Amino acid sequence: MVDIITSCQLPVASCQSSFISQKEIKISICSLNIWYTDTQAIEDVSLDIEKNKVTAIIGPSGCGKSTLIRAMNRMNDIIPSVKVKGEILLDGENIYGEDIDVVGIRRRIGMVFQRPNPFPKSVFENVAYGLKINGLIKKKEELIEKIEQALKDAALWSEVKDRLGDSALDLSGGQQQRLCIARALAIEPEVILFDEPCSSLDPTATAKIEELIQELKKKYTIVIVTHNMQQAARISDFSAFLLLGKLIEFNRTDKIFTHPEDKRTENYITGRFG
Amino acid sequence: MRKFKELVFSVFLHTATALPLIALFSVIFFIISRGAMVINWEFLTQMPRDAMTAGGIFPAIVGTFYLVLVAVFFALPLGVMAAIYLVEYTRQGGIVQTIRIGVSTLAGVPSVVFGLFGMVIFVRFFGFGVSILSGGLTLGIMILPTVIRTSEEALLAIPQGFREASFALGATKWQTIYRIVMPNSISSILTGSILGIGRAAGDTASILFTAATFYIMHLPNSVFSEVQALPYHIYGLLTEGTHAQAQIPIAYGTATVLLFLVLSMSALSIVMRNRFRRRKKW
Amino acid sequence: MKKFFRRGKGIEFLFLFFALASVFFLAGIVVVLFSSGLLILRTVTLREFILGRYWHPLFYEPPAYGILPIILGSFWVTLGAMCIAIPLGVGAAVYIAEVASPQLKEILKPVIELLGAIPSVVYGFFGVVALAPFIMRLFDLPIGFTALTASILLGLMALPTIVTISEDVISSVPVLYREASYALGATKLETAAKVVFPAAFPGIVTAIILGMGRAIGETMVVMMVAGGSAIIPRSFLQPVRAMTATIGLEMGEAASGSPHMHALFGIGCVLFVLTLLFSIAAERFSIRFRRQVGI
């Protein structure tokens, strides 16, 4: 099990970001520290995620971006010997709190991974999986309806409506990734985490996913990890720049990319390292 | 000089590879060529007659089948569950270390020692007597390490991404195992386990004191019956037989049947395993 | 309690219980062997048992329970088997891993694995009907059931184990090593002999130990073809009696609770301890190999 040391006992569900409206905070990360065995991957990170906005986490590889986003739905729990200290509040409730139902948290916070990872089942069964295991549907018609809706929301319906019974592994890489998005949408989460969703896709497929994310933020709160700064600039409302496990700068994306406050952020976005 | 050394070494390597293959194939050919002459439909489906000097080996075929069945029903669920624990629930620690040492040590125990264990525990302590049940359970324990290892391998071949995707959708560990991990690994587990089954079908020492008998004139009627088994039948015909002239041909036939059974199962298992490895899309 | 199950802890404990089954069985084997086997020490001392030169459990007054000839018999046939299996097995593994074309390798590997599945009783049968008469004629012996006969068959049986594991080990030596050697102008065979083989050596030792474990624990072949005289072996052309064969042959006639039966379980203890030592040694060398080549 993951060791959880809770020291940060802030009474209010917030940290510091003045540019984020206090009422609209969906997730609040407070003094988060994460260790793998003996190396520290995340060092004292505090960050607020605003509702119905896209928040991008950027930084050079190995800076802890993935660790940070995986902390938000406790995916790090799967890896043995991870130690977490600090709090992550989802609607004011600490997801690392003692009596928390991890499975319930993951149902509320969906995730799309770096490489498309559809199950080796049919397209239909992939989307149905989350609904079935969570016992969210009672009737067959309802299931079909929800699956159609999820595939439409993921902009995949027109391409797969005639091949719902085919194996998901026969789809193209971009389609597979959108299927994974549909799979996450089907259980109607509140937040969707994207962990470098386009890193294994070609430019056309990438453009489709970016367009989709713009559409999705109307209904969902979105966090995306990316190593592609143009992508962050194109699709995000807020950007957090991470370096060696520390949060260097967090601001509105337009500010970060035009007037970065920190020298290191400027060096990174102008391509001087990383 | 360098050329000469190369030549000698090369000759040695070729000989080392060819010689055992020739020897092993000669053994197989020697037996099958003689066994094939006595095998016919009656040989496979009839009871022995005239004090084991004529007739067929049907009871030995049936007996081996029952023994293997009990062994598989015992070892497969147990081994798969053990492998699931080791792969899916493992946190590195003392318990896991202990289990791994246990499995690898058990794999090295000679089958005659399993026979002693089965005799004391199943035959005497539980009072199953010399029976299908005692022998099958003994064989089951013997093949348990094989089943655990092949199952572990199959489970480790499932990409971590499948598990992560399932967890991220709010599945519990059990749901992930039951709905994602098991359906995708069960075929490799089964094909791998056939290797263990072949081993159980051919083993003699572990059933010497737990299940096998040479003279029995009827088919087993319950799991508590003594049985004939193919490998023990070969041994019995050679050592307990009194009419070598008539019994040696029967032994050739029995050995051929056993070889065919074990080799075809193993070949099936190996071919299927290699095919799964190659065809895997993920 | 309810929460306990909701979090899947109940299922986890169930799996743990089954996972511990092999440990239970192992413990059971130890208890069974030693609880009966140690009783022989009521009849003879440990020294008399292990180092006694005479095994006369039946028809002698007083009976003698010295198992030295039997232990040496096991070692003797295993030694003979290894003289055959080590050079051939390692040579074949080097050939398959380093020399054979990929197509040939695709065929040889499964075929050798398949040959490992031949039941031991079939080898024993072959020994009785073919090899023993051949040995008898070749060396002009009164009887063909000798240590040599058993050694040849045990060597053949251990070969697939040694080849398969050694080949895996040799193939897992990183390509880097080979490339460095080729770059210095070495040929394929020189590289195999001087670079790959030394790197793989501890792993090959593991394969050999596992092959030896198979030979020393093998029962049917030694029961059928080794001849069965419990005398200290001095030549490969004499009959010998191994530990496994003694248990297999005499368990049926030993009276329950008699010193004879305890002695047979005592032999089981010795056999178990030996195979345990083999397992430990194999594991040690395997760890050393993996550390040496960095995998």
Side-chain angles (χ1 to χ4, degrees), chain B residues 112-113 115-121 124 209, chain C residues 29-40 49 55 247 251 254 256-272:
Chain B
V112 72
V113 171
L116 288 181
F117 174 75
M119 179 182 83
V120 171
I121 297 299
R124 303 224 183 110
F209 341 113
Chain C
I29 287 172
V30 172
V31 169
V32 163
L33 287 180
F34 284 85
S35 66
S36 296
L38 289 178
L39 292 179
I40 186 63
F49 182 60
W55 174 255
I247 298 172
M251 190 51 87
S256 188
S258 66
H260 185 196
M261 171 156 289
H262 296 150
L264 293 178
F265 273 93
I267 296 174
C269 296
V270 174
L271 193 56
F272 178 81

mmCIF file of all heavy atoms in Angstrom, chain B residues 112-113 115-121 124 209, chain C residues 29-40 49 55 247 251 254 256-272:
data_model
loop_
_atom_site.group_PDB
_atom_site.id
_atom_site.type_symbol
_atom_site.label_atom_id
_atom_site.label_comp_id
_atom_site.label_asym_id
_atom_site.label_seq_id
_atom_site.Cartn_x
_atom_site.Cartn_y
_atom_site.Cartn_z
ATOM 1 N N VAL B 112 10.008 -39.589 -6.528
ATOM 2 C CA VAL B 112 9.850 -40.676 -5.573
ATOM 3 C C VAL B 112 9.585 -40.121 -4.160
ATOM 4 O O VAL B 112 8.870 -40.735 -3.357
ATOM 5 C CB VAL B 112 11.076 -41.628 -5.598
ATOM 6 C CG1 VAL B 112 12.306 -40.980 -4.969
ATOM 7 C CG2 VAL B 112 10.765 -42.939 -4.908
ATOM 8 N N VAL B 113 10.135 -38.915 -3.897
ATOM 9 C CA VAL B 113 9.880 -38.279 -2.600
ATOM 10 C C VAL B 113 8.418 -37.814 -2.519
ATOM 11 O O VAL B 113 7.769 -37.940 -1.478
ATOM 12 C CB VAL B 113 10.866 -37.116 -2.358
ATOM 13 C CG1 VAL B 113 10.483 -36.313 -1.126
ATOM 14 C CG2 VAL B 113 12.289 -37.653 -2.218
ATOM 15 N N GLY B 115 6.144 -39.360 -3.924
ATOM 16 C CA GLY B 115 5.471 -40.636 -3.686
ATOM 17 C C GLY B 115 5.427 -40.981 -2.209
ATOM 18 O O GLY B 115 4.384 -41.398 -1.693
ATOM 19 N N LEU B 116 6.547 -40.776 -1.510
ATOM 20 C CA LEU B 116 6.575 -41.049 -0.068
ATOM 21 C C LEU B 116 5.573 -40.163 0.660
ATOM 22 O O LEU B 116 4.815 -40.629 1.522
ATOM 23 C CB LEU B 116 7.980 -40.775 0.499
ATOM 24 C CG LEU B 116 9.091 -41.747 0.133
ATOM 25 C CD1 LEU B 116 10.396 -41.325 0.799
ATOM 26 C CD2 LEU B 116 8.721 -43.157 0.579
ATOM 27 N N PHE B 117 5.574 -38.879 0.297
ATOM 28 C CA PHE B 117 4.655 -37.931 0.920
ATOM 29 C C PHE B 117 3.214 -38.369 0.686
ATOM 30 O O PHE B 117 2.403 -38.441 1.619
ATOM 31 C CB PHE B 117 4.898 -36.537 0.331
ATOM 32 C CG PHE B 117 3.916 -35.491 0.800
ATOM 33 C CD1 PHE B 117 3.997 -34.962 2.075
ATOM 34 C CD2 PHE B 117 2.904 -35.038 -0.051
ATOM 35 C CE1 PHE B 117 3.097 -34.001 2.507
ATOM 36 C CE2 PHE B 117 2.012 -34.078 0.375
ATOM 37 C CZ PHE B 117 2.111 -33.562 1.654
ATOM 38 N N GLY B 118 2.898 -38.708 -0.571
ATOM 39 C CA GLY B 118 1.541 -39.124 -0.900
ATOM 40 C C GLY B 118 1.142 -40.384 -0.137
ATOM 41 O O GLY B 118 0.007 -40.512 0.331
ATOM 42 N N MET B 119 2.107 -41.301 0.015
ATOM 43 C CA MET B 119 1.811 -42.549 0.719
ATOM 44 C C MET B 119 1.456 -42.269 2.180
ATOM 45 O O MET B 119 0.467 -42.782 2.708
ATOM 46 C CB MET B 119 3.020 -43.477 0.642
ATOM 47 C CG MET B 119 2.829 -44.792 1.358
ATOM 48 S SD MET B 119 4.312 -45.808 1.261
ATOM 49 C CE MET B 119 5.266 -45.135 2.592
ATOM 50 N N VAL B 120 2.252 -41.415 2.817
ATOM 51 C CA VAL B 120 2.007 -41.143 4.239
ATOM 52 C C VAL B 120 0.740 -40.319 4.434
ATOM 53 O O VAL B 120 -0.090 -40.625 5.288
ATOM 54 C CB VAL B 120 3.226 -40.421 4.866
ATOM 55 C CG1 VAL B 120 2.903 -39.950 6.273
ATOM 56 C CG2 VAL B 120 4.426 -41.340 4.863
ATOM 57 N N ILE B 121 0.588 -39.262 3.622
ATOM 58 C CA ILE B 121 -0.513 -38.324 3.849
ATOM 59 C C ILE B 121 -1.826 -38.827 3.251
ATOM 60 O O ILE B 121 -2.839 -38.957 3.948
ATOM 61 C CB ILE B 121 -0.170 -36.927 3.280
ATOM 62 C CG1 ILE B 121 1.041 -36.351 4.007
ATOM 63 C CG2 ILE B 121 -1.376 -35.991 3.398
ATOM 64 C CD1 ILE B 121 0.848 -36.154 5.496
ATOM 65 N N ARG B 124 -2.368 -43.165 3.877
ATOM 66 C CA ARG B 124 -2.545 -43.579 5.260
ATOM 67 C C ARG B 124 -3.301 -42.554 6.092
ATOM 68 O O ARG B 124 -4.333 -42.843 6.655
ATOM 69 C CB ARG B 124 -1.169 -43.810 5.903
ATOM 70 C CG ARG B 124 -0.350 -44.825 5.132
ATOM 71 C CD ARG B 124 0.328 -45.814 6.057
ATOM 72 N NE ARG B 124 1.149 -46.713 5.267
ATOM 73 C CZ ARG B 124 2.473 -46.698 5.295
ATOM 74 N NH1 ARG B 124 3.119 -45.871 6.111
ATOM 75 N NH2 ARG B 124 3.163 -47.527 4.549
ATOM 76 N N PHE B 209 3.652 -46.133 -4.906
ATOM 77 C CA PHE B 209 3.028 -46.538 -3.634
ATOM 78 C C PHE B 209 1.714 -45.820 -3.388
ATOM 79 O O PHE B 209 1.168 -45.869 -2.299
ATOM 80 C CB PHE B 209 3.933 -46.266 -2.426
ATOM 81 C CG PHE B 209 5.369 -46.089 -2.746
ATOM 82 C CD1 PHE B 209 5.984 -44.860 -2.569
ATOM 83 C CD2 PHE B 209 6.119 -47.167 -3.192
ATOM 84 C CE1 PHE B 209 7.320 -44.701 -2.851
ATOM 85 C CE2 PHE B 209 7.463 -47.005 -3.468
ATOM 86 C CZ PHE B 209 8.070 -45.765 -3.304
ATOM 87 N N ILE C 29 6.141 -32.176 3.228
ATOM 88 C CA ILE C 29 7.121 -33.165 2.787
ATOM 89 C C ILE C 29 8.245 -33.274 3.818
ATOM 90 O O ILE C 29 8.652 -34.378 4.203
ATOM 91 C CB ILE C 29 7.675 -32.783 1.391
ATOM 92 C CG1 ILE C 29 6.606 -33.038 0.324
ATOM 93 C CG2 ILE C 29 8.946 -33.557 1.066
ATOM 94 C CD1 ILE C 29 6.957 -32.524 -1.046
ATOM 95 N N VAL C 30 8.718 -32.122 4.286
ATOM 96 C CA VAL C 30 9.799 -32.129 5.277
ATOM 97 C C VAL C 30 9.351 -32.873 6.538
ATOM 98 O O VAL C 30 10.054 -33.750 7.038
ATOM 99 C CB VAL C 30 10.225 -30.681 5.622
ATOM 100 C CG1 VAL C 30 11.202 -30.677 6.794
ATOM 101 C CG2 VAL C 30 10.859 -30.019 4.415
ATOM 102 N N VAL C 31 8.143 -32.537 7.002
ATOM 103 C CA VAL C 31 7.652 -33.168 8.228
ATOM 104 C C VAL C 31 7.517 -34.681 8.043
ATOM 105 O O VAL C 31 7.978 -35.473 8.865
ATOM 106 C CB VAL C 31 6.297 -32.552 8.652
ATOM 107 C CG1 VAL C 31 5.659 -33.371 9.765
ATOM 108 C CG2 VAL C 31 6.491 -31.112 9.093
ATOM 109 N N VAL C 32 6.885 -35.079 6.934
ATOM 110 C CA VAL C 32 6.672 -36.513 6.678
ATOM 111 C C VAL C 32 7.996 -37.261 6.618
ATOM 112 O O VAL C 32 8.182 -38.298 7.262
ATOM 113 C CB VAL C 32 5.879 -36.707 5.356
ATOM 114 C CG1 VAL C 32 6.005 -38.125 4.842
ATOM 115 C CG2 VAL C 32 4.417 -36.342 5.571
ATOM 116 N N LEU C 33 8.942 -36.711 5.835
ATOM 117 C CA LEU C 33 10.222 -37.399 5.674
ATOM 118 C C LEU C 33 10.961 -37.521 6.991
ATOM 119 O O LEU C 33 11.403 -38.602 7.385
ATOM 120 C CB LEU C 33 11.110 -36.651 4.674
ATOM 121 C CG LEU C 33 10.747 -36.746 3.205
ATOM 122 C CD1 LEU C 33 11.736 -35.936 2.384
ATOM 123 C CD2 LEU C 33 10.755 -38.182 2.737
ATOM 124 N N PHE C 34 11.085 -36.376 7.684
ATOM 125 C CA PHE C 34 11.935 -36.383 8.868
ATOM 126 C C PHE C 34 11.277 -37.065 10.064
ATOM 127 O O PHE C 34 11.952 -37.680 10.878
ATOM 128 C CB PHE C 34 12.405 -34.965 9.198
ATOM 129 C CG PHE C 34 13.499 -34.502 8.271
ATOM 130 C CD1 PHE C 34 13.196 -33.939 7.045
ATOM 131 C CD2 PHE C 34 14.828 -34.682 8.614
ATOM 132 C CE1 PHE C 34 14.194 -33.541 6.174
ATOM 133 C CE2 PHE C 34 15.844 -34.284 7.757
ATOM 134 C CZ PHE C 34 15.519 -33.719 6.532
ATOM 135 N N SER C 35 9.955 -36.969 10.166
ATOM 136 C CA SER C 35 9.328 -37.597 11.328
ATOM 137 C C SER C 35 9.480 -39.119 11.262
ATOM 138 O O SER C 35 9.615 -39.781 12.285
ATOM 139 C CB SER C 35 7.851 -37.209 11.432
ATOM 140 O OG SER C 35 7.143 -37.731 10.347
ATOM 141 N N SER C 36 9.480 -39.681 10.056
ATOM 142 C CA SER C 36 9.725 -41.122 9.960
ATOM 143 C C SER C 36 11.215 -41.423 9.848
ATOM 144 O O SER C 36 11.714 -42.372 10.439
ATOM 145 C CB SER C 36 9.031 -41.709 8.723
ATOM 146 O OG SER C 36 7.648 -41.577 8.850
ATOM 147 N N GLY C 37 11.901 -40.589 9.058
ATOM 148 C CA GLY C 37 13.296 -40.871 8.750
ATOM 149 C C GLY C 37 14.207 -40.790 9.971
ATOM 150 O O GLY C 37 15.138 -41.594 10.114
ATOM 151 N N LEU C 38 13.919 -39.827 10.847
ATOM 152 C CA LEU C 38 14.807 -39.668 12.008
ATOM 153 C C LEU C 38 14.685 -40.841 12.980
ATOM 154 O O LEU C 38 15.566 -41.073 13.802
ATOM 155 C CB LEU C 38 14.519 -38.342 12.727
ATOM 156 C CG LEU C 38 14.955 -37.086 11.959
ATOM 157 C CD1 LEU C 38 14.592 -35.822 12.731
ATOM 158 C CD2 LEU C 38 16.451 -37.108 11.659
ATOM 159 N N LEU C 39 13.570 -41.598 12.855
ATOM 160 C CA LEU C 39 13.376 -42.728 13.773
ATOM 161 C C LEU C 39 14.440 -43.814 13.584
ATOM 162 O O LEU C 39 14.679 -44.616 14.487
ATOM 163 C CB LEU C 39 11.981 -43.337 13.578
ATOM 164 C CG LEU C 39 10.813 -42.445 14.015
ATOM 165 C CD1 LEU C 39 9.493 -43.155 13.759
ATOM 166 C CD2 LEU C 39 10.938 -42.054 15.483
ATOM 167 N N ILE C 40 15.088 -43.821 12.416
ATOM 168 C CA ILE C 40 16.135 -44.815 12.194
ATOM 169 C C ILE C 40 17.270 -44.606 13.202
ATOM 170 O O ILE C 40 18.000 -45.543 13.542
ATOM 171 C CB ILE C 40 16.659 -44.773 10.738
ATOM 172 C CG1 ILE C 40 17.658 -45.917 10.467
ATOM 173 C CG2 ILE C 40 17.339 -43.466 10.415
ATOM 174 C CD1 ILE C 40 17.071 -47.281 10.587
ATOM 175 N N PHE C 49 24.607 -44.833 10.103
ATOM 176 C CA PHE C 49 23.628 -44.786 9.013
ATOM 177 C C PHE C 49 24.260 -44.214 7.739
ATOM 178 O O PHE C 49 24.224 -44.829 6.676
ATOM 179 C CB PHE C 49 22.433 -43.939 9.451
ATOM 180 C CG PHE C 49 21.335 -43.857 8.419
ATOM 181 C CD1 PHE C 49 20.681 -45.007 7.974
ATOM 182 C CD2 PHE C 49 20.944 -42.633 7.897
ATOM 183 C CE1 PHE C 49 19.672 -44.929 7.027
ATOM 184 C CE2 PHE C 49 19.935 -42.554 6.944
ATOM 185 C CZ PHE C 49 19.303 -43.705 6.519
ATOM 186 N N TRP C 55 24.497 -52.463 3.637
ATOM 187 C CA TRP C 55 23.041 -52.302 3.588
ATOM 188 C C TRP C 55 22.440 -53.696 3.507
ATOM 189 O O TRP C 55 22.374 -54.302 2.454
ATOM 190 C CB TRP C 55 22.660 -51.455 2.368
ATOM 191 C CG TRP C 55 21.181 -51.329 2.122
ATOM 192 C CD1 TRP C 55 20.465 -51.960 1.156
ATOM 193 C CD2 TRP C 55 20.250 -50.531 2.851
ATOM 194 N NE1 TRP C 55 19.154 -51.621 1.225
ATOM 195 C CE2 TRP C 55 18.979 -50.738 2.269
ATOM 196 C CE3 TRP C 55 20.350 -49.668 3.957
ATOM 197 C CZ2 TRP C 55 17.835 -50.112 2.726
ATOM 198 C CZ3 TRP C 55 19.213 -49.047 4.407
ATOM 199 C CH2 TRP C 55 17.971 -49.267 3.798
ATOM 200 N N ILE C 247 14.551 -46.788 -2.440
ATOM 201 C CA ILE C 247 13.212 -46.458 -1.925
ATOM 202 C C ILE C 247 12.149 -47.139 -2.787
ATOM 203 O O ILE C 247 11.246 -47.810 -2.292
ATOM 204 C CB ILE C 247 12.987 -44.926 -1.923
ATOM 205 C CG1 ILE C 247 13.992 -44.237 -1.002
ATOM 206 C CG2 ILE C 247 11.558 -44.610 -1.486
ATOM 207 C CD1 ILE C 247 13.964 -42.723 -1.083
ATOM 208 N N MET C 251 10.281 -50.168 -0.670
ATOM 209 C CA MET C 251 9.181 -49.639 0.132
ATOM 210 C C MET C 251 8.036 -50.635 0.195
ATOM 211 O O MET C 251 7.382 -50.773 1.227
ATOM 212 C CB MET C 251 8.705 -48.307 -0.470
ATOM 213 C CG MET C 251 7.746 -47.535 0.394
ATOM 214 S SD MET C 251 8.326 -47.296 2.082
ATOM 215 C CE MET C 251 9.275 -45.809 1.941
ATOM 216 N N ALA C 254 8.925 -53.362 2.889
ATOM 217 C CA ALA C 254 9.294 -52.968 4.255
ATOM 218 C C ALA C 254 8.041 -52.944 5.129
ATOM 219 O O ALA C 254 7.035 -52.354 4.758
ATOM 220 C CB ALA C 254 9.956 -51.598 4.254
ATOM 221 N N SER C 256 5.507 -51.830 7.915
ATOM 222 C CA SER C 256 5.204 -50.519 8.456
ATOM 223 C C SER C 256 5.746 -50.407 9.881
ATOM 224 O O SER C 256 5.557 -51.311 10.705
ATOM 225 C CB SER C 256 3.686 -50.322 8.452
ATOM 226 O OG SER C 256 3.396 -48.997 8.793
ATOM 227 N N GLY C 257 6.448 -49.291 10.155
ATOM 228 C CA GLY C 257 6.977 -49.069 11.504
ATOM 229 C C GLY C 257 8.265 -49.800 11.807
ATOM 230 O O GLY C 257 8.806 -49.672 12.896
ATOM 231 N N SER C 258 8.780 -50.567 10.851
ATOM 232 C CA SER C 258 10.018 -51.294 11.082
ATOM 233 C C SER C 258 11.219 -50.381 10.859
ATOM 234 O O SER C 258 11.106 -49.358 10.194
ATOM 235 C CB SER C 258 10.111 -52.477 10.107
ATOM 236 O OG SER C 258 10.233 -51.979 8.788
ATOM 237 N N PRO C 259 12.377 -50.761 11.434
ATOM 238 C CA PRO C 259 13.587 -49.969 11.176
ATOM 239 C C PRO C 259 13.885 -49.880 9.677
ATOM 240 O O PRO C 259 14.383 -48.864 9.199
ATOM 241 C CB PRO C 259 14.685 -50.752 11.903
ATOM 242 C CG PRO C 259 13.979 -51.549 12.926
ATOM 243 C CD PRO C 259 12.624 -51.863 12.386
ATOM 244 N N HIS C 260 13.552 -50.928 8.942
ATOM 245 C CA HIS C 260 13.784 -50.907 7.502
ATOM 246 C C HIS C 260 13.050 -49.746 6.850
ATOM 247 O O HIS C 260 13.612 -48.974 6.076
ATOM 248 C CB HIS C 260 13.329 -52.250 6.896
ATOM 249 C CG HIS C 260 13.638 -52.380 5.432
ATOM 250 N ND1 HIS C 260 13.041 -53.329 4.640
ATOM 251 C CD2 HIS C 260 14.458 -51.689 4.632
ATOM 252 C CE1 HIS C 260 13.499 -53.187 3.398
ATOM 253 N NE2 HIS C 260 14.359 -52.216 3.378
ATOM 254 N N MET C 261 11.754 -49.593 7.201
ATOM 255 C CA MET C 261 10.986 -48.496 6.626
ATOM 256 C C MET C 261 11.555 -47.147 7.052
ATOM 257 O O MET C 261 11.688 -46.227 6.254
ATOM 258 C CB MET C 261 9.516 -48.605 7.034
ATOM 259 C CG MET C 261 8.745 -47.362 6.643
ATOM 260 S SD MET C 261 6.997 -47.629 6.450
ATOM 261 C CE MET C 261 6.900 -48.585 4.977
ATOM 262 N N HIS C 262 11.929 -47.041 8.350
ATOM 263 C CA HIS C 262 12.522 -45.779 8.816
ATOM 264 C C HIS C 262 13.795 -45.466 8.046
ATOM 265 O O HIS C 262 14.069 -44.318 7.695
ATOM 266 C CB HIS C 262 12.804 -45.839 10.309
ATOM 267 C CG HIS C 262 11.554 -45.992 11.127
ATOM 268 N ND1 HIS C 262 11.515 -46.630 12.337
ATOM 269 C CD2 HIS C 262 10.275 -45.607 10.879
ATOM 270 C CE1 HIS C 262 10.284 -46.632 12.813
ATOM 271 N NE2 HIS C 262 9.516 -46.014 11.929
ATOM 272 N N ALA C 263 14.569 -46.528 7.769
ATOM 273 C CA ALA C 263 15.808 -46.322 7.016
ATOM 274 C C ALA C 263 15.506 -45.808 5.607
ATOM 275 O O ALA C 263 16.191 -44.919 5.096
ATOM 276 C CB ALA C 263 16.604 -47.616 6.938
ATOM 277 N N LEU C 264 14.441 -46.342 5.002
ATOM 278 C CA LEU C 264 14.080 -45.878 3.664
ATOM 279 C C LEU C 264 13.659 -44.411 3.688
ATOM 280 O O LEU C 264 14.020 -43.627 2.812
ATOM 281 C CB LEU C 264 12.947 -46.743 3.083
ATOM 282 C CG LEU C 264 13.324 -48.195 2.784
ATOM 283 C CD1 LEU C 264 12.112 -48.950 2.256
ATOM 284 C CD2 LEU C 264 14.454 -48.264 1.768
ATOM 285 N N PHE C 265 12.897 -44.036 4.727
ATOM 286 C CA PHE C 265 12.547 -42.614 4.858
ATOM 287 C C PHE C 265 13.796 -41.785 5.131
ATOM 288 O O PHE C 265 13.905 -40.633 4.680
ATOM 289 C CB PHE C 265 11.508 -42.410 5.964
ATOM 290 C CG PHE C 265 10.102 -42.564 5.476
ATOM 291 C CD1 PHE C 265 9.450 -43.789 5.551
ATOM 292 C CD2 PHE C 265 9.428 -41.494 4.920
ATOM 293 C CE1 PHE C 265 8.149 -43.936 5.082
ATOM 294 C CE2 PHE C 265 8.136 -41.633 4.449
ATOM 295 C CZ PHE C 265 7.489 -42.862 4.539
ATOM 296 N N GLY C 266 14.737 -42.376 5.891
ATOM 297 C CA GLY C 266 16.010 -41.688 6.142
ATOM 298 C C GLY C 266 16.731 -41.404 4.825
ATOM 299 O O GLY C 266 17.289 -40.322 4.623
ATOM 300 N N ILE C 267 16.694 -42.383 3.909
ATOM 301 C CA ILE C 267 17.291 -42.157 2.587
ATOM 302 C C ILE C 267 16.557 -41.024 1.878
ATOM 303 O O ILE C 267 17.167 -40.158 1.245
ATOM 304 C CB ILE C 267 17.239 -43.446 1.738
ATOM 305 C CG1 ILE C 267 18.093 -44.536 2.389
ATOM 306 C CG2 ILE C 267 17.722 -43.180 0.320
ATOM 307 C CD1 ILE C 267 17.987 -45.886 1.704
ATOM 308 N N GLY C 268 15.220 -41.013 2.049
ATOM 309 C CA GLY C 268 14.426 -39.917 1.483
ATOM 310 C C GLY C 268 14.889 -38.572 2.016
ATOM 311 O O GLY C 268 14.983 -37.594 1.268
ATOM 312 N N CYS C 269 15.206 -38.505 3.330
ATOM 313 C CA CYS C 269 15.701 -37.256 3.925
ATOM 314 C C CYS C 269 17.004 -36.825 3.264
ATOM 315 O O CYS C 269 17.185 -35.656 2.906
ATOM 316 C CB CYS C 269 15.952 -37.414 5.424
ATOM 317 S SG CYS C 269 14.470 -37.750 6.368
ATOM 318 N N VAL C 270 17.921 -37.785 3.124
ATOM 319 C CA VAL C 270 19.215 -37.464 2.516
ATOM 320 C C VAL C 270 19.005 -36.949 1.091
ATOM 321 O O VAL C 270 19.566 -35.931 0.672
ATOM 322 C CB VAL C 270 20.126 -38.717 2.506
ATOM 323 C CG1 VAL C 270 21.415 -38.429 1.733
ATOM 324 C CG2 VAL C 270 20.440 -39.160 3.924
ATOM 325 N N LEU C 271 18.143 -37.630 0.357
ATOM 326 C CA LEU C 271 17.840 -37.242 -1.018
ATOM 327 C C LEU C 271 17.250 -35.834 -1.068
ATOM 328 O O LEU C 271 17.638 -35.000 -1.897
ATOM 329 C CB LEU C 271 16.844 -38.258 -1.592
ATOM 330 C CG LEU C 271 16.576 -38.271 -3.078
ATOM 331 C CD1 LEU C 271 17.855 -38.458 -3.850
ATOM 332 C CD2 LEU C 271 15.583 -39.377 -3.407
ATOM 333 N N PHE C 272 16.336 -35.579 -0.147
ATOM 334 C CA PHE C 272 15.693 -34.274 -0.107
ATOM 335 C C PHE C 272 16.710 -33.172 0.188
ATOM 336 O O PHE C 272 16.732 -32.136 -0.465
ATOM 337 C CB PHE C 272 14.579 -34.268 0.947
ATOM 338 C CG PHE C 272 13.906 -32.940 1.088
ATOM 339 C CD1 PHE C 272 12.920 -32.554 0.190
ATOM 340 C CD2 PHE C 272 14.265 -32.061 2.102
ATOM 341 C CE1 PHE C 272 12.312 -31.322 0.302
ATOM 342 C CE2 PHE C 272 13.655 -30.825 2.214
ATOM 343 C CZ PHE C 272 12.675 -30.460 1.310
#
